[in-house]
Amino acid sequence: MNSLVLAILIIPLAASAACFLLRKAEGSITRSIALAVSLALLALTSKISWDYLELVSGHSQIVSKGNTFAPVEGSTVIKELFRFQPATDTRPDAGVIRFYLGIDGLNVFILQLTTVVFLMGVIAGWKSVKHNPGAYYGLLFFLEFSTLGAFLSFDLVFFYIFFELTIVPLFFLIGMWGGPNRQYAAKKLFMYTLAGGLMTLLGLIALVTALGQNPGKSNTPTPVTFSIPDLVSDSMKASALVNNMAPGDEGLSKLGTPSGHYANMQKWIFLALILGFAIKVPAVPFHTWQPTAYFEASTPITLIMSGILAKLGVYGFLRIVLPLVPMATMDMAWLLGWLGAIGILYGAGCAIAQDDFKKMAAYSSLSHLGFCLIGIFALNETGITGGVLQMINHGLITGALLFLIAGLGDRYGTTRLKDLGGLGARLKVFAGMTMFFCMCGAGLPLLNGFVGEIMALFGMFDSRNPGYSGTCLAAASAFGMVLGAWYLLNFLMKVFFGPVEEPPFRNEEIPGDLSRMEKAILFPLAAACLYLGCFPQPVIETIRPEVRLISKIANNQVVSLVKEAVAPALPKNR
Amino acid sequence: MDNSIPMELLKFLSPEGTLFLLASLILLIGPFFREKVSWPLVSLIGFLVSYLLLLMQAGTASPGDNPYASVVLGGTLSNLIRHFSLGAGIFLLFLFWDRDRFQPETVGLLMILAGGSSMVGMANDLTVLYLGLELVTIPSYILLYCHGDSNSAESTMKYFFLSILSSAFLLLGIAFLYGLTGTTNIAAISDALLLADPAKLFGADALAAHRLLLIPILGILAGLGFKISMVPFHFYAPDVYQGAGYRMSAVLATMPKIAGFAGLIRIFAFALDHGGPAPTDFARDNIPVLFWILAFISITLGNLLALLQRNIRRIMAYSSIAHTGYILAAFAVASKAAPDSAFTGLSAAMFYLIVYFFSTFGIFAILHYLEQGRKPIRDWDDLAGTSKDNPVLAVALAIFLFSLTGIPLTGGFLAKFAIVYCCANVPFTLDDPVSWESHYLFILLALVIVLNAAVAAWYYLKLISGIFLKPVIWLEDKSYSFKPVLIPILASLLITVVLGIYPSLLLKPKAYQELIEKRPIAQGAGIHGPFQLADGKQ
Amino acid sequence: MSPIDLKAYLVLGAILFGLGLVGFLTRRNMIIMFLSAELMLQGVAVDFLAFGRFRGNWQGQSFVLFILTVAACEAAIAMGLVYTLYRLKNSLDSGKWSDLREEGLDSPDDLEGAWAPAEKPDYPVLPLAGIKPQSGEETSHV
């Protein structure tokens, strides 16, 4: 499997270089190359997922692979790049930045989603990308390369490298192929994401050095490590140390013990880390770049940003924040929970008020990603599972909806709500598909949107965190689901029902229904949505080990904090 | 004592010697054959011969095994700076390949410049260090006057007068350093400042001695701070770069910095060591704090002032001030690493300097090349249309700018990463409040660096959006022909990207620390033992 | 033991250095500015000599020789530079050179109009080294 893993990184990079070199060639050639490469990548990731599922179901014991966060055997690619410190006997990978890739339950489906969304992006831009297609597809594949790299990395530094690298192609893709106000949108996106990302970098470095200095009680520093599995086990050791301290004598946050220092540092590290991820998602107070960027970007780019790049931030929470700074996460999960709930309501409210599909899609994305946040920061198994499912589902649904919006844009040259109406008569299959995906988005039971959102809500409702108004948040978020149905139905009604309103046709050409290529991608997607809505269990089973580990790290904290709250009743030498 | 010059020393000095001899020869006879000989080629051959000589003595430790008796010092760091200076000289030479009236003078002076910078890198004596610095400075006045753009006279005037002022301060510092320690040998001075009871140094009470030590420290910082355009001494940089044209900006933004930082490393070796003998309070506490403050104001002021500029060379001048600040931050943290740490601020600083050189050189060289076929490029919006008429160089320019911003997969990212890592990794012990304090202070510095990197992104992004996004109404009809300057541009592009992916080529732990290698401390063993004459008033 | 001790020499050096610094910072005539800078160097040279004598080794004195050499180089360049600058603006006032500055700042040239520029005299022109002077024709490279 590891050659496959390497291949899905190398192929987009090579394709990107090829597209740049072929920038003088005909647009149709580059487009065909782009389609072929995207299909090949889709096939490769499908193979990887298939292999992974076989591996997991074949050895059911892999589920209990212990308290490690390591990728499955056979999927790792490791290349040592730079050594900060000489290796020690106990830990040969200490002090070294490695090119460390792997597959585990958390990223396997997201990789699949990435290639699906990029394929949709390529097809959605089939007609609209006329200007300089070589550079466009070159940048697109570079974006795919960095996105896949970020999802595959098991080394903190490489995760960050790929994470940050995504904004470079995005800057050019928005700035050169966007709407009239594209320069401003591109600069705003770049500055926001870079500033947040740099804070994340500081957080990561502080995390690595803080863990390197003191999981043990002695003052001798253990060698730093950048490998995420090792960091997780270090972090668990340190948490256990703090938990085992008798309450009162060497307080959790008192400077004076290494672990106390560690607990104290965690708060700051947490804040630094979430800044970058929350901007990437985006979560509510940091979302102001999003409407301009989504609106000014060409629709295929909006599709990719909303379908997969937003997931990078959520993935960062899952992969890094939750397992590596568990104490601070426990203390401050309420903050992110509230941000998620506010995002759900605020995004839905704004989406109702928009007069443009793309803006509506941008705000609906804000709303739906809020469910990921409340699910993940419920910190229990149900919630986290819901968050992960919601990531996948939202990618599929919003991808398909934006794909359809791109189709409307291609057909009518407008995305304004008031220009279109009653199209159901002319575009029958188109209208049917749009309706189906809107229903998925609105969270109709038996469709996939429902599963993720309901599990996130259950998780939040069930959250045991003391002083954490889970019920309140869950109720608010449930109301957000109603608002979501409102704007989606509103959109459907205006565009596909009622009297026909069409802008004058461009090129005297009557817009046709879905083309064969569009059908070829939308029908399987619809099938996938239906399947995930009816039988989500295989996915849930596959991601279970990792989710259980994350929630265990968090729950360990829950127990300890509960213990502290009733400390006087407990024996002191606990 | 044997007064003849040993062969070993001659062999050690042969690379620089070749450069200086050939340069003198070119300056002497060049003017009589102005048009007849391809002078850059002659100079390139000279550089290559000197480089070969340098390669041949790789591994040579030092001429003579007693650092207290030698005026020059070998070792990894010295080797690195010598290679770097000569390489930088070769790169800069290609900028001046076009035939013009001052060719022999130009190439000769460039060779002296490179040799001078290399001399600073290996200096183990204040005399050598001072001469090396002057050999970098004096030729640059003439080059600046001859090769600047229309304002070169004013720019030379400003550079010249401020430069002699700064060298007066440098000399004052050196004089007092000599007076306090009784020797000009840097190894002996380091020992004296590291180990000595300050009271003994000058036969005065300790407080007065501390005050007296401030004179050399501040004087030398002022003198070298001018060369590296550190903040209180940065005033000249924007004006001079603005009037200097792209070629001379490339020279001024790199060569004096290499020399200046090499000088700082040499003189402040005692305060950059992290695992040596227990340093005096002075070396341990005061000097890192000084560097901390200087780094802080250089980074912040440089970046903030760059935001206000329109002229590209002024932007680059302020950005170079900010980059000086980042390197100074690495200096500040150098002595704070854990005793067994393999990777310290010094390695990070050298790596940063190298990455900075290639990126800055690339930007100036490309702009110089682009200026050939069209109207002068002054402000950032003059760059509009570059991506249309020369897409390859536009992409290269963007990569260099991203490297200075610190975007991953370029050398600039790992350089900043290394410095931030060092700042965040200052160890502490539980019972020592001072170590806690410095731990938090340096995390604050890391925060400052990170925030400023975000601020800096704005003006680099301004340039990039000028290149790619700014709409062009009307394109000039230009044709670009091949020029030799494209060779070093390509080379620096490759180096910038390769260092971003595989930094182990240059960023090696343990590599650059032999500068303060654990040499035997002079127990009266040196020929000019520092303390012998402390009471020897005559 | 000499009746004048180290301190006296250092004070002399400091006075020279300080006079030079003050002169450099307050005067605008470029020749005077350069002379002031030279005065600073000489103050440092006195320090070096005094320290060399005090420490009883030759390093201080040898350093002074280098300082003098470098100062001579700089003087040569300074004279050439000041000469060409004078020819360009017909003035030795350093304040006249203020074309390069931050945008939006006024020129510090407060003497504008206070004196009338002299008629430009007919200076002799030097050719580049190695080139035979051509008679009667401007060959200036500036």
Side-chain angles (χ1 to χ4, degrees):
Chain A
M1 197 162 22
N2 56 4
S3 54
L4 289 184
V5 169
L6 204 54
I8 60 169
L9 264 197
I10 289 172
I11 289 174
L13 195 59
S16 162
C19 288
F20 274 119
L21 291 177
L22 288 174
R23 83 198 129 80
K24 295 252 165 65
E26 287 281 312
S28 57
I29 299 176
T30 12
R31 264 196 287 276
S32 321
I33 294 177
L35 183 63
V37 172
S38 312
L39 283 171
L41 282 170
L42 181 63
L44 277 178
T45 42
S46 309
K47 173 90 172 80
I48 290 176
S49 316
W50 187 257
D51 286 359
Y52 185 83
L53 287 178
E54 282 211 325
L55 202 66
V56 174
S57 59
H59 314 72
S60 61
Q61 285 319 301
I62 203 165
V63 171
S64 60
K65 63 185 173 175
N67 290 337
T68 64
F69 219 56
V72 294
E73 261 174 60
S75 74
T76 49
V77 176
I78 293 182
K79 173 88 181 77
E80 191 171 301
L81 273 193
F82 171 66
R83 199 167 258 296
F84 275 101
Q85 282 176 356
T88 58
D89 297 336
T90 48
R91 186 175 269 179
D93 59 345
V96 62
I97 296 177
R98 293 179 307 171
F99 184 64
Y100 181 9
L101 306 178
I103 303 278
D104 72 354
L106 273 189
N107 64 10
V108 62
F109 291 115
I110 295 175
L111 289 173
Q112 185 75 57
L113 179 68
T114 312
T115 51
V116 170
V117 168
F118 272 89
L119 177 64
M120 282 157 70
V122 167
I123 295 176
W126 197 258
K127 285 192 191 127
S128 53
V129 178
K130 296 197 179 70
H131 160 65
N132 206 351
Y136 177 86
Y137 287 110
L139 287 166
L140 200 68
F141 281 119
F142 195 70
L143 185 60
E144 183 164 14
F145 160 74
S146 41
T147 315
L148 287 170
F151 286 131
L152 280 171
S153 291
F154 274 77
D155 184 283
L156 268 193
V157 177
F158 266 88
F159 173 80
Y160 177 78
I161 284 179
F162 286 120
F163 179 83
E164 196 77 331
L165 206 55
T166 51
I167 62 176
V168 175
L170 210 52
F171 172 75
F172 291 112
L173 282 170
I174 295 176
M176 293 169 85
W177 285 273
N181 206 4
R182 55 182 185 266
Q183 276 198 48
Y184 171 71
K187 279 190 200 169
K188 195 169 174 184
L189 165 100
F190 192 94
M191 287 309 296
Y192 250 99
T193 332
L194 183 79
L198 283 166
M199 287 309 290
T200 301
L201 175 68
L202 185 62
L204 292 178
I205 293 176
L207 173 73
V208 163
T209 53
L211 273 176
Q213 268 162 351
N214 45 49
K217 276 208 165 181
S218 67
N219 285 338
T220 51
T222 54
V224 297
T225 174
F226 294 98
S227 124
I228 293 178
D230 285 349
L231 281 170
V232 172
S233 66
D234 274 4
S235 142
M236 278 167 23
K237 265 183 233 158
S239 309
L241 234 149
V242 176
N243 288 340
N244 287 335
M245 277 192 297
D249 59 6
E250 284 179 307
L252 277 175
S253 59
K254 211 171 76 181
L255 310 178
T257 57
S259 298
H261 162 72
Y262 170 67
N264 193 41
M265 283 294 282
Q266 275 204 2
K267 249 177 259 163
W268 298 105
I269 294 172
F270 177 82
L271 288 178
L273 283 177
I274 62 161
L275 198 57
F277 296 139
I279 287 178
K280 197 88 178 178
V281 173
V284 149
F286 311 109
H287 71 288
T288 55
W289 63 267
Q290 191 211 26
T292 42
Y294 279 26
F295 182 63
E296 293 298 333
S298 61
T299 318
I301 303 305
T302 312
L303 193 166
I304 287 168
M305 276 198 286
S306 154
I308 200 69
L309 292 180
K311 309 298 177 299
L312 260 180
V314 184
Y315 181 78
F317 283 126
L318 268 180
R319 172 73 83 197
I320 292 176
V321 176
L322 255 60
L324 293 185
V325 280
M327 300 177 204
T329 310
M330 197 61 217
D331 284 349
M332 285 190 257
W334 60 272
L335 180 68
L336 271 290
W338 274 108
L339 292 188
I342 292 171
I344 292 170
L345 293 176
Y346 174 82
C350 289
I352 291 171
Q354 298 308 313
D355 60 348
D356 191 290
F357 312 148
K358 264 165 85 183
K359 279 187 184 161
M360 187 199 80
Y363 282 110
S364 89
S365 190
L366 190 63
S367 172
H368 283 129
L369 285 167
F371 283 103
C372 293
L373 285 189
I374 60 161
I376 287 171
F377 284 93
L379 302 181
N380 49 24
E381 204 179 318
T382 328
I384 295 173
T385 311
V388 178
L389 280 180
Q390 175 70 0
M391 272 164 83
I392 298 164
N393 294 335
H394 174 252
L396 294 177
I397 297 167
T398 197
L401 277 179
L402 277 160
F403 186 85
L404 289 161
I405 289 173
L408 273 185
D410 282 350
R411 283 173 176 80
Y412 292 102
T414 178
T415 53
R416 288 162 67 85
L417 209 55
K418 67 167 192 222
D419 289 349
L420 298 169
L423 298 180
R426 190 189 290 284
L427 312 172
K428 291 194 181 66
V429 190
F430 196 107
M433 289 318 289
T434 314
M435 194 138 139
F436 178 81
F437 285 113
C438 280
M439 288 304 133
C440 291
L444 205 66
L446 287 189
L447 293 175
N448 62 346
F450 175 73
V451 185
E453 288 177 12
I454 209 73
M455 283 187 84
L457 289 181
F458 282 167
M460 184 48 82
F461 196 75
D462 195 31
S463 173
R464 279 175 297 165
N465 190 351
Y468 180 35
S469 40
T471 321
C472 180
L473 285 180
S477 312
F479 184 60
M481 283 176 83
V482 178
L483 288 180
W486 182 357
Y487 62 76
L488 285 170
L489 291 176
N490 204 11
F491 159 69
L492 278 178
M493 209 157 82
K494 174 74 184 70
V495 177
F496 293 104
F497 301 99
V500 178
E501 270 177 57
E502 283 173 317
F505 303 137
R506 293 185 301 177
N507 312 329
E508 307 296 317
E509 204 178 292
I510 298 174
D513 210 338
L514 287 179
S515 71
R516 230 177 294 161
M517 197 190 277
E518 285 170 327
K519 279 180 189 161
I521 188 143
L522 283 176
F523 288 167
L525 264 183
C529 287
L530 198 60
Y531 179 80
L532 282 176
C534 298
F535 307 105
Q537 202 57 26
V539 178
I540 295 176
E541 284 302 325
T542 315
I543 60 177
R544 174 156 302 177
E546 280 74 19
V547 167
R548 184 169 283 170
L549 180 67
I550 294 173
S551 67
K552 206 156 79 180
I553 296 175
N555 270 332
N556 191 12
Q557 281 320 119
V558 175
V559 171
S560 83
L561 281 181
V562 169
K563 190 176 67 192
E564 199 199 26
V566 289
L570 288 170
K572 193 148 191 203
N573 61 353
R574 170 69 181 81
Chain B
M1 209 214 279
D2 185 12
N3 278 330
S4 63
I5 301 172
M7 278 313 287
E8 213 180 345
L9 185 63
L10 273 185
K11 187 164 167 263
F12 187 79
L13 294 178
S14 59
E16 286 79 13
T18 318
L19 274 186
F20 289 144
L21 275 180
L22 191 62
S24 315
L25 208 64
I26 290 176
L27 288 173
L28 265 181
I29 63 169
F32 299 97
F33 305 97
R34 233 169 244 287
E35 306 286 328
K36 296 191 183 80
V37 185
S38 170
W39 291 108
L41 199 64
V42 175
S43 160
L44 183 63
I45 293 169
F47 267 118
L48 291 179
V49 168
S50 132
Y51 208 88
L52 266 181
L53 287 170
L54 185 56
L55 282 178
M56 271 161 57
Q57 44 160 301
T60 313
S62 295
D65 42 9
N66 184 0
Y68 299 96
S70 170
V71 293
V72 289
L73 208 59
T76 328
L77 189 103
S78 162
N79 235 340
L80 177 86
I81 297 177
R82 292 171 83 188
H83 278 279
F84 186 27
S85 305
L86 292 187
I90 294 175
F91 270 55
L92 294 173
L93 178 68
F94 278 93
L95 286 174
F96 297 92
W97 204 277
D98 292 346
R99 189 169 285 281
D100 64 23
R101 292 198 289 179
F102 312 109
Q103 253 194 336
E105 287 90 348
T106 308
V107 299
L109 292 174
L110 264 180
M111 290 164 84
I112 296 182
L113 225 100
S117 162
S118 152
M119 241 170 95
V120 180
M122 65 186 176
N124 190 33
D125 194 286
L126 292 176
T127 322
V128 179
L129 193 132
Y130 172 68
L131 284 181
L133 281 173
E134 288 298 332
L135 283 177
V136 174
T137 318
I138 292 176
S140 58
Y141 307 141
I142 306 169
L143 283 175
L144 183 56
Y145 190 84
C146 296
H147 289 287
D149 71 357
S150 54
N151 280 325
S152 70
E154 179 177 346
S155 153
T156 315
M157 193 270 279
K158 289 182 170 168
Y159 189 59
F160 176 77
F161 278 106
L162 290 175
S163 177
I164 51 175
L165 185 68
S166 82
S167 80
F169 278 112
L170 176 68
L171 275 176
L172 182 74
I174 290 180
F176 272 80
L177 205 53
Y178 166 63
L180 284 172
T181 56
T183 171
T184 53
N185 181 293
I186 294 176
I189 290 173
S190 292
D191 289 352
L193 295 181
L194 260 181
L195 300 175
D197 178 4
K200 275 193 195 149
L201 278 179
F202 210 61
D205 62 305
L207 192 65
H210 263 104
R211 280 200 203 122
L212 274 174
L213 260 175
L214 276 180
I215 297 179
I217 303 283
L218 293 182
I220 288 168
L221 269 179
L224 294 176
F226 175 85
K227 304 267 184 294
I228 60 176
S229 61
M230 182 178 78
V231 148
F233 313 103
H234 69 288
F235 292 104
Y236 76 98
D239 284 4
V240 171
Y241 287 17
Q242 191 188 352
Y246 287 111
R247 288 193 287 185
M248 275 318 290
S249 296
V251 175
L252 290 180
T254 53
M255 263 321 190
K257 282 206 182 189
I258 300 173
F261 277 113
L264 274 185
I265 292 177
R266 286 294 170 206
I267 294 182
F268 287 97
F270 70 95
L272 302 178
D273 192 5
H274 74 288
T280 51
D281 290 351
F282 187 78
R284 193 193 64 183
D285 298 335
N286 298 5
I287 293 186
V289 170
L290 208 55
F291 277 132
W292 196 100
I293 296 169
L294 291 170
F296 181 89
I297 54 176
S298 293
I299 297 172
T300 315
L301 222 61
N303 279 325
L304 290 182
L305 289 175
L307 291 178
L308 306 177
Q309 308 299 324
R310 291 180 59 79
N311 184 297
I312 297 174
R313 286 196 294 262
R314 288 187 87 89
I315 294 180
M316 290 303 295
Y318 280 113
S319 107
S320 90
I321 294 166
H323 287 291
T324 295
Y326 296 127
I327 300 176
L328 285 175
F331 273 40
V333 80
S335 63
K336 299 287 181 184
D340 58 342
S341 173
F343 183 81
T344 69
L346 203 54
S347 311
M350 285 316 294
F351 186 70
Y352 201 101
L353 190 58
I354 291 168
V355 169
Y356 166 82
F357 169 80
F358 288 113
S359 308
T360 311
F361 171 83
I363 290 169
F364 282 130
I366 289 178
L367 289 174
H368 166 68
Y369 178 81
L370 289 177
E371 226 180 16
Q372 299 300 297
R374 61 200 238 181
K375 65 177 172 39
I377 303 171
R378 293 221 173 82
D379 292 348
W380 67 274
D381 38 11
D382 291 343
L383 287 169
T386 311
S387 64
K388 296 261 178 354
D389 54 53
N390 206 329
V392 179
L393 282 188
V395 169
L397 198 51
I399 291 177
F400 289 131
L401 286 168
F402 277 136
S403 169
L404 289 185
T405 319
I407 297 291
L409 290 198
T410 58
F413 166 71
L414 282 168
K416 280 212 178 66
F417 177 84
I419 292 180
V420 175
Y421 173 81
C422 288
C423 285
N425 202 15
V426 173
F428 52 87
T429 45
L430 291 174
D431 40 4
D432 182 5
V434 175
S435 74
W436 277 96
E437 210 170 82
S438 75
H439 180 72
Y440 284 124
L441 267 180
F442 279 102
I443 286 191
L444 183 63
L445 189 58
L447 185 67
V448 168
I449 291 174
V450 161
L451 289 179
N452 270 286
V455 171
W458 180 250
Y459 57 84
Y460 292 125
L461 205 62
K462 193 156 83 175
L463 294 181
I464 291 172
S465 63
I467 298 166
F468 286 94
L469 309 187
K470 205 156 174 54
V472 221
I473 299 139
W474 158 82
L475 268 180
E476 291 175 66
D477 191 24
K478 280 157 283 198
S479 59
Y480 294 101
S481 53
F482 174 78
K483 289 230 172 90
V485 70
L486 291 176
I487 301 169
I489 291 176
L490 185 69
S492 27
L493 187 64
L494 274 181
I495 295 173
T496 305
V497 173
V498 167
L499 286 184
I501 298 167
Y502 199 68
S504 297
L505 291 178
L506 275 175
L507 187 62
K508 292 188 183 109
K510 288 268 180 217
Y512 310 131
Q513 288 159 34
E514 291 161 43
L515 128 100
I516 331 155
E517 62 204 67
K518 312 293 173 278
R519 53 169 181 261
I521 298 299
Q523 303 289 358
I527 32 172
H528 302 300
F531 315 122
Q532 294 162 1
L533 298 168
D535 302 314
K537 280 190 191 173
Q538 293 171 14
Chain C
M1 184 156 164
S2 149
I4 306 172
D5 69 351
L6 177 66
K7 247 176 219 160
Y9 287 104
L10 291 188
V11 168
L12 174 64
I15 289 174
L16 286 178
F17 192 88
L19 277 178
L21 185 58
V22 171
F24 186 90
L25 295 177
T26 52
R27 303 301 288 264
R28 285 166 61 155
N29 182 313
M30 286 189 279
I31 293 181
I32 305 278
M33 279 167 75
F34 179 72
L35 289 180
S36 304
E38 287 295 300
L39 202 59
M40 292 166 78
L41 292 190
Q42 301 320 314
V44 174
V46 170
D47 283 357
F48 259 115
L49 290 173
F51 280 131
R53 179 81 174 154
F54 173 70
R55 291 294 180 185
N57 57 31
W58 297 104
Q59 293 172 1
Q61 294 190 29
S62 67
F63 210 115
V64 170
L65 289 181
F66 284 112
I67 294 179
L68 291 179
T69 319
V70 170
C73 287
E74 272 172 354
I77 289 178
M79 287 308 109
L81 182 67
V82 170
Y83 171 70
T84 41
L85 290 174
Y86 180 70
R87 275 191 22 173
L88 286 170
K89 289 241 163 161
N90 244 345
S91 159
L92 281 173
D93 183 0
S94 64
K96 290 272 152 212
W97 295 92
S98 54
D99 293 341
L100 301 171
R101 58 176 191 271
E102 291 285 333
E103 271 178 69
L105 284 187
D106 290 336
S107 165
D109 187 4
D110 50 4
L111 293 182
E112 198 74 61
W115 52 268
E119 186 124 334
K120 199 174 180 185
D122 195 13
Y123 297 114
V125 171
L126 287 177
L128 289 175
I131 291 177
K132 197 179 162 201
Q134 292 162 338
S135 52
E137 197 187 323
E138 283 270 327
T139 52
S140 163
H141 59 277
V142 179

